[in-house]
Amino acid sequence: MSKKTKVGMGVTYILAFLWIVATTVPLLLAVLSSFKDNTEIYLRPWQLPQSWAPVNYIRAIVDVGALRSIGNTLLVAFLTAGGVLLVALLASYPMSRKNIRWVKSTYTLFVLAVMIPVHTTLIPISSLATILKAKDQYWYLILVYIAFNMAQSIFLISGSMNGISREIDDAAIIDGCGDFRLLFRILTPICKPILATEAIFAFVYAYGELIFSLTLISNSKLYTVSRAMLSFYGDGDMRLGPIFAFIVLSAIPSIIVYVLFHNQIQKGVMNGAIKG
Amino acid sequence: MTYKRKDHLISILFLFPALLLLCVFIIYPTISTIKLSFHSWKGIYGMAQEFVGFSNFQKVLTSDTFWNAMLNSVYFMIGTFVILMPLSFSLALVVTSKLKFTGFMKTMYYLPVILGTTTVALMWRCILNPNTGILAGILNAMGLGDHVIDWLNTPTVNVWTTILINEWKFAGYNMLIFVAGITSIPDTTVEAAMIDGCNYWQRLRYIILPLSKNSFKVFAILGITGCLKVFDIIWAMTGGGPNDLSSTPGIMIYQFAYTYKKYGRSAAIAVILLILGVSLSAVCNRVFKQDDIY
């Protein structure tokens, strides 16, 4: 290896390291601060907290219901992920397996739908909620989340089904498989990797979503994490410790999902990028 | 192979949930918003909407707040192309290089993306708090106390602070878009260039950049439409304040509807965003039209 390449690699390592510092240090500071009071945060930001007693956590949990809002959001996020998979699997099957002209044109419809920004739909969706008495109802929020996540899933799942040989279908049909069993018993297990990826994406989206939860949920007992955190910060109490504690608690489910599935998540983003 | 009636029935049955959701939550609302943008409505149900022609659009397009919000969106776009693009592309080069630990780096770089926008925004708000925040504390300890300003309440500064936080959060995501482009280049092409004596910069300029053009297109489209739509991060960092100076069109849509109860005005902004988003995506598609390279 030439001297020049070695220097180049050294510089690259330094840059790589600097961005790792940039991404992790704020998170570490947030964890440390969640055990401190304002004075300690200000005067000793880098030091370990003087006491590890979880007073801030208790305040975040008891006073603002951090755990309740996290639980609410987890429920919404799991149901959204499941719903997206079901709706997208059902829609992908005829798109991939039935060579019918009108079915193909529905695909184009979904492609066009992706271009519509969420904001354009905001007012009618909340008006509709009022008409259906669906304000403060999770089922409505979940259906909205599914609607905005299904198109991407349909593209990737039907794409993945197109890659499965039709000979498998023929064999299954000869063995007496109907459409339902062909889809759920034969094709679904083969598409598992992409299904996992899409489920995770829907989960992450629903867990962090803000604008629909702002417009559709107003009962503070039903607040999702984003909503609950914002109103906690906004209620005028400027003690930072409990807010940091809430932030750390809210990040735990995301980080668990990420640690378990980071490979699928990264593959999913890259697949999406290639498809454009 | 011909399709029987049963196949049509099965297709209808299987597509029904997706099409229903599409119609109820995307197509109907879009049409309804377009209609609403020509009407005046205070959001009271049962109360008729009054047709006002283009007056909502006229009011929006002549208001300073709207143009200031558009300017902030343009700032977000500048940030996207001047800061985020070089940063994410460099990170992509790092994690696709022959260094060790690239898998670990990739995982760490993506970490902020996975956290919710509100979580990230509030974390930075606490860090940047000028009275008791961590950054103020650090600057004071270093004797730079004079440089402590209210980063999130000073006009223009607060928009750029939010932009930097946004780039911090999304660098890892965009890195993966570029990684997808770079890894789709066949190894043999790069090796052939090396055998021909290309140095690193020449390979970057003549092989890697032109052949990952498609990922720049994806980046540009997602970046531009994302900047037009930006809502969450501004809402959680500054709420659009002070005096709407850090507002964006997305924030205005929300506030006109739910704070000022001027639904027609809000719908007009939404329609402008829709038109801008679709036409700018079309422009990007043209600009980055993949030339045949072979």
Side-chain angles (χ1 to χ4, degrees), chain A residues 16 22 42 98 119-120 126 258, chain B residues 7 33 107 109 140 168 229 258:
Chain A
Y42 187 68
K98 308 277 178 198
H119 304 82
T120 319
S126 67
Y258 186 55
Chain B
D7 294 304
T33 297
T107 306
Y109 295 163
N140 258 334
W168 177 82
K229 292 190 290 197
Y258 299 99

Side-chain angles (χ1 to χ4, degrees), chain B residues 89 92-93 96 177-186 190 208 211-212 215:
Chain B
F89 189 72
L93 287 176
T96 51
I177 293 179
F178 290 123
V179 168
I182 294 171
T183 48
S184 68
I185 301 171
V190 182
I208 298 175
L211 288 181
S212 48
S215 51

Side-chain angles (χ1 to χ4, degrees), chain A residues 13 16 19 22 24 33 42 90 98-99 102 113 119-120 123-124 126 150 226 229 233 238 240 244 250 258 273, chain B residues 3 7-8 14 18 22 29 33 100 107-110 118-119 125-126 129 132 134 137 140 168 218 229 258 263 266:
Chain A
Y13 268 121
W19 194 252
T24 46
S33 306
Y42 187 68
L90 284 173
K98 308 277 178 198
N99 206 357
W102 70 264
H119 304 82
T120 319
I123 299 171
S126 67
M150 64 184 181
S226 319
M229 270 196 293
Y233 195 100
M238 282 318 295
L240 296 179
F244 272 119
S250 82
Y258 186 55
Chain B
Y3 284 93
D7 294 304
H8 284 278
F14 280 26
L22 182 75
T33 297
K100 284 175 187 155
T107 306
M108 295 313 282
Y109 295 163
Y110 194 82
T118 318
T119 308
R125 248 170 100 169
C126 292
N129 185 303
T132 53
I134 297 171
N140 258 334
W168 177 82
V218 174
K229 292 190 290 197
Y258 299 99
Y263 283 76
S266 164

Side-chain angles (χ1 to χ4, degrees), chain A:
Chain A
M1 207 187 285
S2 72
K3 205 177 164 190
K4 217 173 151 191
T5 7
K6 266 189 185 162
V7 174
M9 280 179 69
V11 172
T12 326
Y13 268 121
I14 291 170
L15 290 177
F17 176 71
L18 282 180
W19 194 252
I20 290 183
V21 171
T23 53
T24 46
V25 163
L27 300 175
L28 289 177
L29 284 175
V31 175
L32 289 181
S33 306
S34 69
F35 291 96
K36 300 175 179 175
D37 63 18
N38 275 5
T39 334
E40 213 188 333
I41 289 173
Y42 187 68
L43 293 176
R44 310 172 70 242
W46 299 110
Q47 284 89 334
L48 291 178
Q50 280 160 334
S51 133
W52 291 94
V55 271
N56 291 328
Y57 286 86
I58 291 169
R59 220 181 93 72
I61 292 167
V62 175
D63 295 4
V64 254
L67 289 185
R68 181 182 57 212
S69 66
I70 291 171
N72 290 342
T73 321
L74 284 175
L75 174 74
V76 170
F78 275 118
L79 291 175
T80 303
V84 166
L85 285 192
L86 182 66
V87 170
L89 265 173
L90 284 173
S92 300
Y93 175 76
M95 283 180 182
S96 156
R97 280 337 200 219
K98 308 277 178 198
N99 206 357
I100 302 173
R101 196 186 279 157
W102 70 264
V103 173
K104 299 281 163 197
S105 46
T106 54
Y107 189 87
T108 325
L109 203 59
F110 284 103
V111 174
L112 291 175
V114 179
M115 299 181 78
I116 292 172
V118 170
H119 304 82
T120 319
T121 62
L122 205 56
I123 299 171
I125 285 180
S126 67
S127 306
L128 191 63
T130 314
I131 295 166
L132 296 174
K133 304 219 184 325
K135 289 244 160 137
D136 285 330
Q137 297 289 331
Y138 283 149
W139 64 264
Y140 190 81
L141 189 67
I142 291 167
L143 286 181
V144 173
Y145 287 173
I146 295 174
F148 282 96
N149 277 278
M150 64 184 181
Q152 161 92 3
S153 300
I154 290 174
F155 302 150
L156 293 178
I157 293 173
S158 64
S160 150
M161 274 188 196
N162 286 337
I164 302 171
S165 161
R166 292 285 188 112
E167 284 169 28
I168 291 179
D169 298 24
D170 294 339
I173 291 166
I174 290 167
D175 288 345
C177 254
D179 289 289
F180 272 96
R181 276 180 55 198
L182 178 57
L183 171 58
F184 288 110
R185 289 285 170 80
I186 315 277
L187 298 177
T188 305
I190 305 178
C191 295
K192 235 185 209 162
I194 199 82
L195 294 179
T197 309
E198 289 308 308
I200 296 160
F201 271 94
F203 178 89
V204 170
Y205 164 88
Y207 192 80
E209 204 276 342
L210 178 63
I211 194 163
F212 282 119
S213 67
L214 274 177
T215 52
L216 297 174
I217 304 290
S218 52
N219 179 348
S220 65
K221 286 207 163 48
L222 297 174
Y223 275 178
T224 55
V225 174
S226 319
R227 227 18 235 294
M229 270 196 293
L230 269 182
S231 62
F232 186 26
Y233 195 100
D235 73 3
D237 180 351
M238 282 318 295
R239 274 185 283 176
L240 296 179
I243 300 173
F244 272 119
F246 198 161
I247 289 169
V248 172
L249 285 175
S250 82
I252 289 172
S254 317
I255 289 177
I256 291 174
V257 167
Y258 186 55
V259 168
L260 292 177
F261 301 109
H262 58 270
N263 282 326
Q264 262 130 336
I265 293 172
Q266 290 172 4
K267 273 194 201 109
V269 177
M270 296 206 282
N271 280 337
I274 291 165
K275 284 247 163 184

